[in-house]
Amino acid sequence: MTRTTSLSSAEPVLFDAVLTPHRSLPPAGYRLLIGGLAALAGLAGLVFLLLGAWPVLGFFGLDIALLALCFQVNYRQGRQHERLRLTPDALTVERMSAAGRVERVQLPPWWLRVEIDRSGIRPGPLTLATHGRCETVGTFLAPWEQVEVADALQQALAPLRAG
């Protein structure tokens, strides 16, 4: 989660956060992992080739290709993000899908309820509810991150509710 505030806007921004999914392996680590596994599979495949079991070499290559494809799908899903922007007039939830589609929802902040179920072992999901509408945000975040976003958003909403 990245939290920023804007000072150049004509309307004051009370809360501005970009929620992004966590990816534990950076691209350089991915290249190193796939390269190392490809080298290891190549050596093992060479042993099988020398033993006369040449079809095994193809299966080793197929394993590496499928693993690389899985990582590419995972990184593509990691491009999605959500932006929560609170001004005195509206809370804007802007979602960017992995494919690049943008969905924007505006909720009035005065009666907005920030709800997160903290009764179980794992808290969540984080929902924003007002006037019969309910938006779930940060589904890709870890439970503790959802709690952190909920607490920060409730703090930002407090001055609006006070007067």
Side-chain angles (χ1 to χ4, degrees), residues 12-35:
V13 176
L14 305 172
F15 181 81
D16 192 1
V18 178
L19 310 178
T20 57
H22 176 68
R23 293 296 178 253
S24 59
L25 187 65
Y30 160 74
R31 288 189 296 273
L32 185 64
L33 177 70
I34 294 297

Side-chain angles (χ1 to χ4, degrees), residues 82 84 93 95 107 124-129 134-139 146:
E82 295 176 346
L84 305 176
V93 178
R95 291 185 178 93
L107 303 169
L126 172 58
T127 56
L128 307 173
C134 187
E135 291 290 326
T136 302
V137 296
T139 56
Q146 290 178 351

Side-chain angles (χ1 to χ4, degrees), residues 34-103:
I34 294 297
L37 289 175
L40 191 62
L43 285 174
L46 184 62
V47 169
F48 279 99
L49 181 69
L50 294 174
L51 292 174
W54 57 267
V56 175
L57 185 62
F59 286 107
F60 277 126
L62 184 61
D63 286 347
I64 300 301
L66 286 175
L67 184 64
L69 177 67
C70 289
F71 269 102
Q72 290 301 317
V73 169
N74 181 279
Y75 282 125
R76 183 172 173 200
Q77 291 297 319
R79 289 192 300 228
Q80 69 178 331
H81 65 272
E82 295 176 346
R83 182 175 187 183
L84 305 176
R85 185 179 172 100
L86 176 65
T87 63
D89 293 331
L91 173 69
T92 304
V93 178
E94 184 178 279
R95 291 185 178 93
M96 171 79 76
S97 72
R101 289 186 305 273
V102 177
E103 174 190 342

